[in-house]
Amino acid sequence: MQVTETLSEGLKRGFTVTVPAAEIASKRDARLKEVAANLNLPGFRPGKVPVSLAKQRYGESVWAEVLEQTVSDALRNVFDERGIRPAGQPKVDLVFGQTDDGKDLEFTVEAEILPEIAVPDLSDLALTRLKANVSDEAINKVLEDIAKRGRTFEVVEEVRPVAKGDVVAIDFVGKRDGVPFEGGSAEDVNVEIGGEGFIPGFAEQIEGMKPGEEKVITVTFPEDYGATELAGKEATFDIKAKQIKKPVDAPIDDELAKKMGFESLDQLKDLIRKQIEGEYDQLSRLRIKRELLDELAKKTDFTAPEGMVDAEFNQIWARVEEDRKSGQLDDEDKNKDEETLRADYRKIAERRVKLGLLLAEIGRKNNITVTPDELGRAVRAEAMRYPGQEKQVFEFFQKNPQAAESLRGPIFENKVVDYLIELAKVTDKEVTPEELSDIPPANIYGVSSVKP
């Protein structure tokens, strides 16, 4: 095999590779013998089909197979001999060799390579782990929400105006230009005053009505309303108020806990405390991970491959475009022009790629790997996200190994992060839950998933 370097510019490399025709012919003939030995054709005993007949029938497909394998092996040798690690899929163009014409195989290859990454000195790595205690107020708030969901409604015997927090049964007829429209009428519908679920302005105009009272209200349907013929349109509703009910929250006691399957209120409180502690622990890890990445970003001193940055930026920008179309851009981005936005998110993409590469290199040099058991647990966790469809999810991963491999990156990244946190000097700091939750925007501090 002859290799000529044609490009060496920054992280870009190019080569022209020539593989002698005799070498490819030898591989082709060996493969044709295998094919002939496994053919079952009428008139021939098993294993006695002539190679010439196998070539006549399968010559083109065998040539394509051998050609693909030869190019793959040649690329691997070129990169291994030069200590090159491609940053993405190399671009390969065949010059000669498309057909079995006895000529040498010649192809060109261009690739962007991974930079030399020196793992920085991490001996001075210092991090702060934020911790928040679970207060009785936090537990009581959860209990109050549970009691509210388990509330009952008592009929209000007193004839009085319906007030905020009340539930009133009404009959209504919706009209457009004085004509009732389809699906706009109903009887004995419960409406919570101050609650959600109705057209904006609907429940608000019912507040103050008394049982038996009738009223006509005017509302405008939201622009994104499900029925397109009503979206953004104005309509009137003939309303008749009927019975008023007052919500009564369930008492927070042992009986409430028993209805939820617990032995006592104390047992329910213990579970709530553990759940909140779990949420705080996740927030704490997120904060220390971001601080770690900030510190690592200061220590990155290499050029990120342009192709990897382009791919990362394109993913980020697609989400930015979606947010812009739906009016959900962050406040700090709303007043920026597109050129400024692109420049900002390009920097974010570059940061993510560089941090991802650095984490991968730290993991590689410290022999951090993802075990089959860890990958298996990730697959099971993914399946649990789809109750009732677990079997289909498992089958999907079995049939698509590359999909299971996509779970490897986040596991590897977390293992490297754990290793670095363990290595660092960590100071615990007690904060309020509000301070713990005050996390900077994720799109600034995120890291791409990386593979070892």
Side-chain angles (χ1 to χ4, degrees):
M1 183 175 71
Q2 181 180 344
V3 181
T4 305
E5 188 173 68
T6 58
L7 174 64
S8 180
E9 184 180 300
L11 295 177
K12 295 180 180 179
R13 297 290 184 273
F15 304 93
T16 296
V17 182
T18 303
V19 181
E23 180 181 330
I24 304 175
S26 176
K27 292 180 179 179
R28 175 205 59 201
D29 292 344
R31 180 64 182 127
L32 283 170
K33 286 181 181 179
E34 289 180 8
V35 172
N38 290 287
L39 280 179
N40 288 314
L41 294 178
F44 296 96
R45 287 181 295 163
K48 297 299 181 179
V49 175
V51 173
S52 58
L53 184 56
K55 182 177 182 180
Q56 179 183 341
R57 291 197 173 199
Y58 302 103
E60 287 188 11
S61 61
V62 166
W63 177 255
E65 178 186 333
V66 169
L67 189 65
E68 181 180 355
Q69 189 61 51
T70 301
V71 171
S72 177
D73 292 344
L75 281 178
R76 185 170 57 253
N77 290 336
V78 168
F79 294 144
D80 287 349
E81 289 173 3
R82 289 159 180 77
I84 290 175
R85 290 189 293 163
Q89 186 67 31
K91 180 186 176 185
V92 177
D93 290 313
L94 288 177
V95 180
F96 300 111
Q98 290 95 331
T99 57
D100 188 0
D101 54 8
K103 293 182 180 179
D104 292 344
L105 167 66
E106 182 178 324
F107 65 90
T108 62
V109 55
E110 288 188 5
E112 194 171 24
I113 66 173
L114 293 176
E116 288 294 327
I117 301 173
V119 175
D121 180 15
L122 301 172
S123 61
D124 61 345
L125 195 58
L127 304 171
T128 301
R129 179 163 41 218
L130 305 182
K131 287 184 169 291
N133 294 318
V134 181
S135 66
D136 290 340
E137 289 78 10
I139 296 173
N140 289 336
K141 185 178 184 306
V142 175
L143 287 172
E144 288 168 3
D145 290 340
I146 293 173
K148 187 174 182 180
R149 290 197 297 271
R151 65 185 176 175
T152 57
F153 293 90
E154 293 180 353
V155 175
V156 177
E157 301 295 345
E158 175 191 0
V159 178
R160 64 165 175 79
V162 62
K164 189 166 294 184
D166 288 339
V167 171
V168 58
I170 64 169
D171 297 340
F172 62 80
V173 178
K175 298 178 181 179
R176 285 267 298 132
D177 299 325
V179 180
F181 56 84
E182 186 178 354
S185 302
E187 295 181 354
D188 294 319
V189 174
N190 288 324
V191 178
E192 181 179 355
I193 307 303
E196 299 179 353
F198 276 79
I199 308 162
F202 188 99
E204 290 83 346
Q205 296 182 66
I206 296 175
E207 185 176 355
M209 293 182 68
K210 294 181 179 180
E213 185 178 346
E214 297 184 9
K215 182 179 182 181
V216 177
I217 66 172
T218 302
V219 298
T220 301
F221 285 89
E223 294 289 345
D224 58 352
Y225 192 69
T228 54
E229 67 275 11
L230 296 174
K233 303 291 176 50
E234 187 178 274
T236 62
F237 283 87
D238 298 345
I239 306 290
K240 180 178 181 180
K242 301 173 83 172
Q243 190 179 62
I244 299 176
K245 298 177 183 178
K246 187 175 182 178
V248 179
D249 291 350
I252 299 175
D253 54 17
D254 287 341
E255 286 304 313
L256 176 64
K258 288 176 181 178
K259 287 179 182 178
M260 298 183 64
F262 297 90
E263 293 180 0
S264 65
L265 181 60
D266 286 340
Q267 189 181 63
L268 175 57
K269 285 183 176 180
D270 287 341
L271 176 66
I272 294 171
R273 183 180 296 277
K274 289 177 182 177
Q275 288 179 335
I276 297 176
E277 284 176 347
E279 293 171 4
Y280 288 176
D281 287 344
Q282 289 180 352
L283 288 171
S284 178
R285 175 177 170 77
L286 182 57
R287 291 296 296 267
I288 197 171
K289 178 179 177 180
R290 291 186 178 178
E291 185 184 1
L292 168 66
L293 297 179
D294 280 345
E295 292 301 313
L296 291 179
K298 299 173 186 176
K299 298 175 180 290
T300 56
D301 187 24
F302 57 86
T303 302
E306 189 175 345
M308 294 182 73
V309 176
D310 287 342
E312 186 71 28
F313 171 77
N314 290 337
Q315 287 187 7
I316 295 173
W317 191 250
R319 292 195 295 270
V320 172
E321 290 280 69
E322 288 179 6
D323 289 345
R324 182 155 57 180
K325 289 177 182 176
S326 61
Q328 295 180 347
L329 272 182
D330 292 338
D331 290 340
E332 60 185 283
D333 288 342
K334 286 180 179 178
N335 297 322
K336 295 179 182 178
D337 57 47
E338 182 164 325
E339 183 178 353
T340 302
L341 270 179
R342 282 182 173 273
D344 287 349
Y345 282 104
R346 180 82 184 181
K347 290 177 183 177
I348 293 171
E350 183 177 2
R351 171 188 162 109
R352 289 186 178 185
V353 170
K354 292 174 76 171
L355 284 172
L357 290 174
L358 180 57
L359 287 176
E361 188 66 10
I362 292 171
R364 187 176 70 87
K365 289 192 173 180
N366 289 280
N367 300 315
I368 297 174
T369 58
V370 177
T371 66
D373 284 346
E374 289 170 332
L375 194 58
R377 285 197 295 271
V379 170
R380 288 193 292 274
E382 189 69 15
M384 294 299 289
R385 292 178 56 209
Y386 302 92
Q389 302 179 51
E390 292 88 348
K391 183 179 179 182
Q392 294 92 318
V393 174
F394 279 118
E395 290 176 351
F396 171 77
F397 281 117
Q398 288 173 350
K399 294 177 182 177
N400 299 274
Q402 72 279 7
E405 285 299 307
S406 70
L407 302 176
R408 184 183 298 272
I411 301 172
F412 175 77
E413 177 185 302
N414 282 325
K415 292 186 74 171
V416 177
V417 167
D418 287 340
Y419 166 80
L420 291 172
I421 292 174
E422 188 70 27
L423 191 69
K425 179 183 177 182
V426 178
T427 303
D428 289 334
K429 179 182 178 183
E430 190 170 319
V431 296
T432 66
E434 292 74 23
E435 290 172 321
L436 183 62
S437 302
D438 186 19
I439 301 172
N443 61 3
I444 295 176
Y445 294 92
V447 179
S448 300
S449 294
V450 292
K451 292 185 179 181

